[in-house]
């Protein structure tokens, strides 16, 4: 494994500093070799771009650029020991000579400022940001005269001492190091904008930003990344690696977003100058902009004067013109309406046509004069239809209805037509008048309504309504012809995860591309439809009369669809850091259920149910599978539904009970217990929580059941408060994600505490890491509200989730529970020992209590105690038992000094 290190010194010195750290990792991972590669800025950029490294150690400002350009993953942050305090951040010091007249940041205006370099975070950028808040732009020669002296930082100090600069900017700790080496008397200097010592144990003038990060390349395997992280976290401060590297140790990664925000505020982020801000443009072209604005102002003033004078003349001309047009408009209004009008003689020859008529059909008015109305007949209208129309007009004097008229270019125009006779009292029929209104837009609206009614707006596939109509037609045809037909239900696996991670717009792209692929696989007689969400259905008609042959054809299509699904989809996603979209190569899978129909005349619901049961069986068997309808699977589904229905009655009928599993300390004294819910079914007997808890989550019954557990636990705590030997015990209650995310969960818990009078500090809520992944900000706020009531939180099954190391630093936790999977292998697996040791080290460093679950042997107990875990839970201590039995067990075997 190659570790690229940003080097400001000779390669030999860099190797001497970091090779011991690589050796420490190699001792922790004997099967892996680690090589340190000292690199300059440019060389490190090239190595990362060429994927020649596995891990990167660089300064914060360089890291954020590499992270955004090459998707580096943060692993850990370097810690320093300063005056007995372990810190993972640093800042800048702005100073001047004690005898200088500069007392504040504002007085730096027009002075000479010495700094390390334009891109040096501690040696310039942090201080420049502080000056910018004071409306002082160091890079602007009008505000200050900045000179960059390069590393080491001591050059800046020497320049100020020698009078070559009025103000200096260095990284925190530089002044103290020079004073300790006898090269500087701190009394010679005055620190500007000095921050309180409580914030940081060294002289400080700015905000604090994260120290150097250790990051992994995107191509580095997650398993290797986790092992290296554990190795880094186990490096102690007194080790050879820490002494050579001049650090205290490593901690979970700090937040580097403020570093990027600072660089962008100061316009030093690479490529940012390609899009200059208005402020930058003003500074560059202030003089020319002022001249241009003055010229534009003069131009608009002259233009307004011209328009004002012209307007006065136009008003008089308009008045005269309006009076002359009024009489003409009244005469022509009727014939020049928006409705097409024609007047014919008694032989239906056109005598006059208005402009609207000519416009509707694309003719010139002169082209229509003298023509028979036959010229207006649409190509799809038969001559017999027109003869019937004219006979009705002559008989009843009027006809009205829809008629297709022929446009000059040959296409038909749908029109609403009204024809009336013109009669003279003396001579009788003299002609006809017809009105024509173009109803193309109305027809299109009707087609659009039909599209909305029968087709999915996102994918363009038939929707559920159209599919059910076609399904009924196909079933009727199959029964009449004696053939079979097939049905296939397709449900995209883990589609919700894609929506949650990248947004619904990306999910919609997948659904559209999925629809396009289905269209390429189907024959003319086949039908693909979207039923909703991520559910698709495919129907094959006209299959063989033989069931085996028909199923073989259906399975062949299902296999083609299955393989097509597995081909990666290219989806456009939005990069939160940059300005452009990125392409996500997403591999999707689907659970497919197939079934035949056409043997019986049956309701459509039965046909759909068979394919749905087969699809559900595919999901139960692990997803990404094809399953044929099996009556046994339907029986299993019915049994599951029956159990789910019974579960809704379990709480009401008192079938749920609460058991307690004891937790003890290293001296075998009771410290608390975990509440565990059990269900005794009146027919089936004891039902495993593994079976009924997922059902409760799906149905929503877990909310009421969870509230019952919380209330029962609080009632027990209130009763124990009156018993001296029990009143110190805590009770832990498991809270499901569904229950915790209820909007009024905090209010319900508050009400239960007030109603029962239980001591809130003795109630501990156990949650899983998965809760945090749903809505991090909302969950943390809810946890803090509950902690304000006095409750505490425990992370259950710690170490098995994805987010543990990322969010543990922000969660208000009091306890971590080491998962049973690690405890089981503790005495036989060195990896399990290393993981448990790392979890315990994290807990101890953050002041969090640790509880080991699943302790079943004395050897496991002894090793856990030796590693520093002092709270135990498992069958070695006690199985889950009723409350009365727990109280008796504590009184006889696990009594404390309070007894």
């Amino acid at each position: 494994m190659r570790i690229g290190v940003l080097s400001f010194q000779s390669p030999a010195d860099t190797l001497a500093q970091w090779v011991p750290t690589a050796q420490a990792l190699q001792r922790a991972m004997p099967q892996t070799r680690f090589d340190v590669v000292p690199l300059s800025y440019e060389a490190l950029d090239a190595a990362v771009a060429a994927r020649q490294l596995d891990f990167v150690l660089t300064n914060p400002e360089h890291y954020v650029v590499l992270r955004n350009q090459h998707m580096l993953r943060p692993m850990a942050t370097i810690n320093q020991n300063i005056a007995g305090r372990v810190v993972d951040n640093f800042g800048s010091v702005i100073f001047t000579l004690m005898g200088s007249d500069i007392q504040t940041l504002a007085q730096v205006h027009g002075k000479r400022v010495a700094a390390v370099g334009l891109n040096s975070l501690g040696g310039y950028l942090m201080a420049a940001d502080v000056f910018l808040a004071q409306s002082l732009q160091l890079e602007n020669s009008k505000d200050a005269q900045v000179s960059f002296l390069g590393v080491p930082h001591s050059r800046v100090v020497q320049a100020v001492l020698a009078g070559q600069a009025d103000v200096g900017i260095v990284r925190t700790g530089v002044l103290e190091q020079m004073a300790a080496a006898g090269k500087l008397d701190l009394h010679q200097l005055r620190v500007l904008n000095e921050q309180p010592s409580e914030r940081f144990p060294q002289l400080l003038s700015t905000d604090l930003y994260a120290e150097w990060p250790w990051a992994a390349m995107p191509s580095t395997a997650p398993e290797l990344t986790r092992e290296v992280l554990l190795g880094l976290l186990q490096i102690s401060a007194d080790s050879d690696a820490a002494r050579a590297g001049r650090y205290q140790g490593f901690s979970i990664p700090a937040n580097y977003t403020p570093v990027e925000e600072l660089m962008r505020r100061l316009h030093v982020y690479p490529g940012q100058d390609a899009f200059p801000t208005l402020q930058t443009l003003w500074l560059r072209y202030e003089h020319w902009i002022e001249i241009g604005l003055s010229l534009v102002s003069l131009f608009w003033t002259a233009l307004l004067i011209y328009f004002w004078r012209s307007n006065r003349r136009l008003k008089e001309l308009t008045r005269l013109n309006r009076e002359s047009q009024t009489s003409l408009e009244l005469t022509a209004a009727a014939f020049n309406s928006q409705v097409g009008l024609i007047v014919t003689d008694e032989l239906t020859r056109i005598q006059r046509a208005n402009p609207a008529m000519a416009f509707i059909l694309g003719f010139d008015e002169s082209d229509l004069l003298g023509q028979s109305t036959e010229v207006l007949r649409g190509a799809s209208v038969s001559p017999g239809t027109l003869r019937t129309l004219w006979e009705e007009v002559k008989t009843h004097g009027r006809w009205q209805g829809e008629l297709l008229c022929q446009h000059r270019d040959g296409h038909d125009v749908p029109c609403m037509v009204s024809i009336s006779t013109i009669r003279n009292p003396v001579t009788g029929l003299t002609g006809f008048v017809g009105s024509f209104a173009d109803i193309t837009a109305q027809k299109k609206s009707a087609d659009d309504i039909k599209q909305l009614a029968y087709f999915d707006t996102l994918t363009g596939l038939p929707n559920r309504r159209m599919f059910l109509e076609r399904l009924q037609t196909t079933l009727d045809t199959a029964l009449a012809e004696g053939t079979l037909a097939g049905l296939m239900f397709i449900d995209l696996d883990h589609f919700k995860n894609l929506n949650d991670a990248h947004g619904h717009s990306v999910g919609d792209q997948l659904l559209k591309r999925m629809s396009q692929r289905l269209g390429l696989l189907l024959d003319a007689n086949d039908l693909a439809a979207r039923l909703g969400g991520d559910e698709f259905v495919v129907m094959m008609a006209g299959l063989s009369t033989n069931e085996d042959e028909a199923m073989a054809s259906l399975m062949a299509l299902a296999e083609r669809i299955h393989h097509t699904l597995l081909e990666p989809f290219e989806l456009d996603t939005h990069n939160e850091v940059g300005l452009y979209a990125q392409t996500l190569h997403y591999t999707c899978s689907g659970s497919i259920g197939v079934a035949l129909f056409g043997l019986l005349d049956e309701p459509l619901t039965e046909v759909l149910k068979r394919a749905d049961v087969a699809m559900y069986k595919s999901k139960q068997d692990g997803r990404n599978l094809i399953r044929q309808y099996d009556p046994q699977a339907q029986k299993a589904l019915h049994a599951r539904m029956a159990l789910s229905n019974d579960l809704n009655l379990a709480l009401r009928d008192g079938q749920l009970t609460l058991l307690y599993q004891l937790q003890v300390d290293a001296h075998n004294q009771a410290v608390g217990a975990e509440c565990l819910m059990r269900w005794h079914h009146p027919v089936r007997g004891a039902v495993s929580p593994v079976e009924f808890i997922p059902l409760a989550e799906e149905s929503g019954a877990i909310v009421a059941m969870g509230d019952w557990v919380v209330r029962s636990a609080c009632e027990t705590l209130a009763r124990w408060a009156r018993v001296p030997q029990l009143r110190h015990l805590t009770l832990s209650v498991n809270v499901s994600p569904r229950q915790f995310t209820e909007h009024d969960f905090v209010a319900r818990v508050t009400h239960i505490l007030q109603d029962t009078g239980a001591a809130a500090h003795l109630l501990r809520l156990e949650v899983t890491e998965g809760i945090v992944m749903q809505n991090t900000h909302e969950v943390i706020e809810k946890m803090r509200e509950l902690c304000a009531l006095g409750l505490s939180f425990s992370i259950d099954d710690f170490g098995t989730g994805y987010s543990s190391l990322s969010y543990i630093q922000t969660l208000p936790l009091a306890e971590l529970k080491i998962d049973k999977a690690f405890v089981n292998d503790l005495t036989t697996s060195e990896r399990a020992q290393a993981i448990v040791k790392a979890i315990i080290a994290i807990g101890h460093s953050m002041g969090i209590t640790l509880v080991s679950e699943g302790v079943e042997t004395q050897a496991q107990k002894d090793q856990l105690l030796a590693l520093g875990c002092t709270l135990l839970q498992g069958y070695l201590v006690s199985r889950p038992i009723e409350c009365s039995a727990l109280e008796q067990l504590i009184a006889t075997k696990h009594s404390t000094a309070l007894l």
Side-chain angles (χ1 to χ4, degrees):
M1 297 293 105
R2 291 168 58 85
I3 306 170
V5 179
L6 179 63
S7 175
F8 290 116
Q9 53 192 345
S10 67
D13 291 340
T14 301
L15 291 173
Q17 183 179 358
W18 292 107
V19 164
T21 300
Q23 292 172 344
L25 291 176
Q26 195 156 335
R27 287 192 294 273
M29 303 166 58
Q31 303 301 322
T32 307
R33 176 181 174 181
F34 294 90
D35 293 328
V36 176
V37 184
L39 297 167
S40 64
Y41 271 112
E42 296 76 9
L44 186 54
D45 287 341
V48 171
R51 299 289 194 270
Q52 296 172 351
L53 302 174
D54 301 284
F55 300 97
V56 174
L57 179 63
T58 185
N59 60 29
E61 60 270 29
H62 192 209
Y63 160 71
V64 297
V65 176
L66 293 179
R67 178 194 65 184
N68 296 341
Q69 291 179 347
H70 303 289
M71 299 303 172
L72 267 64
R73 295 172 293 164
M75 294 171 54
T77 295
I78 290 178
N79 291 351
Q80 303 288 347
N81 188 327
I82 302 175
R85 285 173 57 180
V86 177
V87 298
D88 62 353
N89 47 27
F90 69 103
S92 286
V93 184
I94 307 170
F95 63 94
T96 184
L97 290 175
M98 183 60 72
S100 169
D101 59 352
I102 301 175
Q103 303 284 338
T104 64
L105 295 177
Q107 293 174 334
V108 177
H109 186 279
K111 302 297 182 181
R112 298 170 299 166
V113 179
V116 175
L118 177 63
N119 293 313
S120 175
L121 184 60
Y124 176 69
L125 295 179
M126 296 182 190
D129 191 47
V130 172
F131 280 113
L132 186 61
Q134 298 290 326
S135 301
L136 233 68
Q137 295 182 334
L138 293 185
E139 71 275 13
N140 188 340
S141 59
K142 294 182 180 179
D143 289 348
Q145 302 172 28
V146 181
S147 57
F148 297 111
L149 305 182
V151 292
H153 289 237
S154 58
R155 292 183 179 178
V156 174
V157 181
Q158 292 165 358
V160 174
L161 293 175
Q164 298 170 355
D166 301 310
V167 177
I169 301 171
V170 295
R171 174 191 165 112
T172 51
V174 172
L175 299 181
E176 287 85 353
Q177 291 172 6
M178 293 182 67
K183 299 179 180 180
L184 175 67
D185 182 359
L186 292 178
H187 294 93
Q188 295 177 271
L189 304 178
R190 175 187 298 124
V191 176
L192 303 181
N193 197 42
E194 185 171 3
Q195 301 298 303
S197 59
E198 293 79 7
R199 286 193 58 198
F200 196 71
Q202 292 176 331
L203 295 175
L204 176 68
S205 300
T206 65
D207 290 335
L208 295 170
Y209 295 84
E211 270 284 6
W212 282 39
W214 184 295
M217 293 287 290
S219 57
T220 304
E223 296 80 5
L224 176 62
T225 301
R226 285 192 291 270
E227 291 183 346
V228 171
L229 174 57
L230 290 174
L232 291 174
L233 293 176
Q234 295 181 58
I235 295 176
S236 61
D238 57 354
S239 64
D240 293 339
R243 284 193 294 269
R246 299 189 289 279
Y247 57 81
Q248 173 74 9
F250 288 87
S251 63
I252 53 182
N255 183 10
Y256 291 92
T257 300
V259 178
E260 180 179 345
E261 293 173 347
L262 180 145
M263 295 173 70
R264 290 187 180 277
R265 281 198 301 274
L266 298 177
H267 304 287
V268 297
Y269 189 85
Q272 193 172 4
D273 288 340
F275 304 96
T277 63
L278 292 177
Q279 183 180 22
T280 303
L281 292 174
W282 175 260
L283 291 173
R284 291 178 182 175
Y285 307 110
E286 178 180 352
H287 176 69
W288 291 107
I289 291 175
E290 289 176 347
I291 294 175
L293 290 175
S294 299
L295 293 175
V296 170
S297 177
L298 290 173
F299 170 77
W300 281 109
T301 301
L303 193 62
L304 287 173
I305 294 172
Y306 170 77
F307 283 150
W308 176 75
R309 298 181 65 179
S310 299
N311 189 51
R312 293 183 61 187
R313 293 194 299 269
L314 286 173
K315 282 183 178 180
E316 181 63 20
L317 292 174
T318 301
R319 185 184 64 80
L320 296 174
N321 183 64
R322 186 181 296 115
E323 291 177 355
S324 62
Q325 290 291 329
T326 300
S327 59
L328 295 175
E329 290 174 358
L330 291 173
T331 304
F335 204 74
N336 289 333
S337 66
Q338 297 298 316
V339 177
L341 296 173
I342 60 171
V343 178
T344 72
D345 60 13
E346 70 278 11
L347 300 177
T348 72
R349 291 189 297 259
I350 299 173
Q351 302 298 307
R352 191 174 178 187
N354 72 343
M357 185 68 190
F359 176 77
I360 291 172
L361 299 182
F363 290 95
D364 291 333
E365 295 179 53
S366 57
D367 294 337
L368 294 175
L369 299 180
Q371 297 283 345
S372 170
T373 53
E374 180 70 17
V375 73
L376 305 180
R377 178 173 63 87
S380 58
V381 179
S382 66
T385 301
L386 282 186
R387 282 195 297 270
T388 303
L389 181 156
W390 286 116
E391 288 173 3
E392 184 172 342
V393 171
K394 292 176 182 178
T395 303
H396 301 287
R398 178 179 176 82
W399 180 88
Q400 184 174 1
E402 292 185 15
L403 190 67
L404 291 176
C405 300
Q406 189 173 49
H407 194 274
R408 184 175 186 175
D409 61 13
H411 74 273
D412 288 346
V413 178
C415 294
M416 177 60 68
V417 178
S418 177
I419 302 176
S420 301
T421 58
I422 302 174
R423 293 185 178 274
N424 187 291
V426 178
T427 60
L429 180 67
T430 61
F432 304 91
V433 60
S435 67
F436 295 75
D438 186 353
I439 57 172
T440 302
Q442 292 89 322
K443 285 289 188 181
K444 184 178 185 305
S445 297
D447 292 340
D448 291 343
I449 292 172
K450 181 178 179 181
Q451 179 75 17
L452 290 172
Y454 286 96
F455 292 89
D456 178 50
T457 56
L458 176 65
T459 64
L461 292 178
N463 60 12
R464 179 183 291 272
R465 179 178 179 180
M466 181 176 181
F467 166 71
L468 291 176
E469 292 182 5
R470 286 284 301 274
L471 179 62
Q472 184 64 62
T473 302
T474 303
L475 177 60
D476 295 341
T477 302
L479 291 171
E481 297 178 354
T483 59
L484 291 173
L487 199 60
M488 186 185 314
F489 268 28
I490 306 168
D491 187 272
L492 303 185
D493 297 330
H494 308 298
F495 179 72
K496 182 179 182 298
N497 294 344
L498 177 66
N499 272 341
D500 291 344
H502 298 283
H504 289 277
S505 62
V506 177
D508 290 347
Q509 291 180 54
L510 176 63
L511 296 176
K512 289 190 282 190
R513 285 167 172 72
M514 167 69 180
S515 305
Q516 293 166 358
R517 290 190 183 182
L518 284 178
L520 296 175
L521 293 174
L522 303 184
D523 293 335
N525 293 332
D526 302 334
L527 175 71
R530 181 187 177 210
L531 300 185
D534 60 340
E535 293 184 354
F536 294 84
V537 62
V538 173
M539 180 172 64
M540 295 184 69
L543 298 177
S544 171
T545 56
N546 181 278
E547 286 189 51
D548 292 338
E549 293 178 0
M551 180 56 75
S553 299
L554 187 59
M555 287 296 293
L557 177 58
E559 289 288 350
R560 292 199 301 273
I561 293 175
H562 182 251
H563 288 303
T564 300
L565 267 178
L566 294 176
E567 297 177 5
F569 291 85
E570 292 189 357
L571 308 176
D572 292 332
T573 63
H574 294 290
N575 185 352
E576 296 179 357
V577 176
L579 300 175
Y580 304 102
Q582 292 184 327
T583 299
L584 171 67
H585 296 275
Y586 181 74
T587 301
C588 177
S589 64
S591 300
I592 303 176
V594 298
L596 296 175
F597 65 95
L599 293 173
L600 300 172
D601 187 3
E602 56 186 338
L604 297 183
T605 53
E606 293 300 319
V607 177
L608 296 171
K609 184 187 297 182
R610 289 200 296 274
D612 191 39
V613 167
M615 186 269 289
Y616 190 84
K617 176 64 175 172
S618 172
K619 284 188 172 294
Q620 278 191 322
D621 290 349
R623 304 177 187 268
N624 193 25
L625 299 169
I626 304 172
R627 289 292 180 264
Q628 301 179 23
Y629 169 72
D630 181 3
Q632 294 301 320
Q634 187 163 1
K635 289 181 180 179
L637 180 60
H638 288 165
R640 181 179 174 85
M641 293 175 62
L643 188 62
S644 179
N645 292 333
D646 292 344
L647 184 59
N648 293 327
L649 304 176
L651 184 59
R652 186 199 69 181
D653 297 341
Q655 298 171 14
L656 300 178
T657 58
L658 207 59
L659 300 184
Y660 299 77
Q661 189 169 28
L662 183 63
Q663 297 173 346
V664 299
D665 61 14
H667 303 292
N668 210 33
Q669 293 182 343
V671 296
E674 180 180 357
C675 300
L676 301 170
M677 184 166 47
R678 295 293 185 264
W679 179 20
H680 187 81
H681 193 277
V683 177
R684 296 182 52 178
V687 182
S688 170
V690 175
E691 188 174 358
F692 76 80
I693 291 296
L695 285 177
E697 290 275 2
E698 292 177 7
S699 66
I702 194 67
V703 175
M705 294 164 63
D707 286 353
W708 173 78
V709 174
V710 173
R711 177 172 289 276
S712 300
C714 288
E715 290 172 350
T716 300
L717 287 173
R719 183 171 54 82
W720 283 357
R722 299 187 293 272
V723 182
Q725 61 266 39
L726 300 175
R727 62 188 177 194
H728 68 290
L729 299 179
T730 62
L731 281 181
S732 299
V733 174
N734 289 284
V735 179
S736 78
R738 177 73 176 270
Q739 180 186 6
F740 192 85
T741 53
E742 288 286 305
H743 72 278
D744 61 341
F745 177 69
V746 176
R748 297 204 310 273
V749 173
T750 303
H751 174 72
I752 291 173
L753 287 169
Q754 294 172 346
D755 196 29
T756 60
H761 72 279
L762 296 177
L763 181 62
R764 182 160 291 167
L765 302 182
E766 292 190 11
V767 298
T768 61
E769 294 166 313
I771 288 181
V772 183
M773 294 299 291
Q774 297 178 11
N775 190 329
T776 306
H777 177 74
E778 179 182 335
V779 168
I780 292 175
E781 284 299 314
K782 195 173 291 186
M783 291 175 73
R784 287 175 176 163
E785 290 179 35
L786 291 169
C787 287
L789 299 176
L791 282 75
S792 57
F793 279 87
S794 173
I795 290 290
D796 199 12
D797 303 331
F798 181 75
T800 61
Y802 177 79
S803 65
S804 56
L805 294 179
S806 300
Y807 289 108
I808 187 174
Q809 60 181 337
T810 59
L811 297 178
L813 300 177
E815 183 181 88
L816 298 178
K817 302 193 78 172
I818 303 174
D819 188 66
K820 180 181 178 181
F822 301 130
V823 177
N824 285 344
D825 299 334
L826 186 62
T827 58
T828 58
S829 169
E830 292 183 0
R831 286 179 175 267
Q833 294 176 18
I835 293 173
V836 172
K837 183 177 180 182
I839 294 173
I840 293 173
I842 292 173
H844 285 172
S845 67
M846 301 185 70
I848 298 175
T849 302
L850 291 128
V851 178
S852 293
E853 294 182 301
V855 181
E856 299 181 356
T857 67
Q858 186 65 36
Q860 292 173 349
K861 175 182 177 181
D862 293 340
Q863 190 152 2
L864 286 167
L865 293 176
L867 291 174
C869 182
T870 55
L871 297 186
L872 309 172
Q873 177 182 341
Y875 284 1
L876 181 65
V877 178
S878 169
R879 290 177 178 271
I881 55 179
E882 294 183 354
C883 187
S884 58
L886 175 71
E887 295 170 357
Q888 181 64 31
L889 177 64
I890 293 173
T892 56
K893 293 186 179 181
H894 302 281
S895 60
T896 68
L898 294 174
L899 291 176

